[in-house]
Amino acid sequence: MRMFVLALLSPVALGPITAQAADLASIRMPAKAPAITHQVGNWTGFYAGGNVGYGWGNYGASNVIGTFVNANGGSAPYGFNTVSGNGNGITAGIQTGYNWQIEQTVLGIEADWQYLNSKATIGDSAIAVLPAIGGNFNGSASVSTDWYATFRGRVGYAFGPALLYATGGIALADAKLSASATGSIPTSLFPLTYGP
């Protein structure tokens, strides 16, 4: 069964329509979405840090020649045999600095101090005096570096969270050398006499 409903609308007589500006509702226009901006990053500020590592070093001498002179005025030429040693060791240190960022340019200063356990000992390095004169020496030497430090300036360019920079400055190190030798050299050439 189907039913149909017919609705009839009768016209309504309206009088003249007038409206005042105060009667009109305000119309809101859609707001423009804010522009999305990417943070460039700010490198300005103080920082400090630490590090631990391992260092490799090699010390050596070769073909060194010279002249021994004793207290009595006797002398003899000598030459070191080629000697070398490794000065490997653990390193650890601290660094600190400050950066200033001006737009994308970054200026900074940094200093660091590093402990370095690097020591090489060279033993039984023969010092041979010319055969015509005679004489022989055996010796040992050690080289160590206990610490080093750097003081640097920096100029860089910031790419958001990344910083491309160049740095340069001065470096200082505490290096020690000790050596000893035992043997005999001529103390007199006429007559040929040997002494310690």
Side-chain angles (χ1 to χ4, degrees), residues 31-56:
K32 186 175 182 182
I36 297 174
T37 58
H38 295 286
Q39 173 109 11
V40 173
N42 190 343
W43 290 85
T44 297
F46 172 81
Y47 63 92
N51 61 76
V52 175
Y54 193 81
W56 292 265

Side-chain angles (χ1 to χ4, degrees), residues 12-20:
V12 176
L14 296 175
I17 298 174
T18 58
Q20 302 293 324

Side-chain angles (χ1 to χ4, degrees), residues 12 25 27 29 34 41 53 74 94 122-123 138 148 167 172 175 193:
V12 176
I27 298 174
M29 299 299 289
I94 56 174
I122 303 163
N138 288 313
Y148 64 94
T167 184
L172 307 170
T193 307

Side-chain angles (χ1 to χ4, degrees), residues 1 20 56 68 80 90 97 100 110 129 152 155 170-171:
M1 172 193 262
Q20 302 293 324
W56 292 265
F68 277 121
F80 283 104
I90 293 173
W100 294 270
E110 183 174 270
V129 179
R152 304 185 306 278
V155 177
I170 62 171

Side-chain angles (χ1 to χ4, degrees), residues 54-60 84-91 115-123 140-147 174-179:
Y54 193 81
W56 292 265
N58 186 285
Y59 304 95
S84 65
N86 293 321
N88 304 338
I90 293 173
T91 181
Y115 163 77
L116 179 61
N117 181 22
S118 173
K119 183 173 183 180
T121 300
I122 303 163
S140 66
S142 68
V143 180
S144 67
T145 303
D146 296 329
W147 61 264
D174 177 33
K176 298 173 185 159
L177 167 66
S178 63

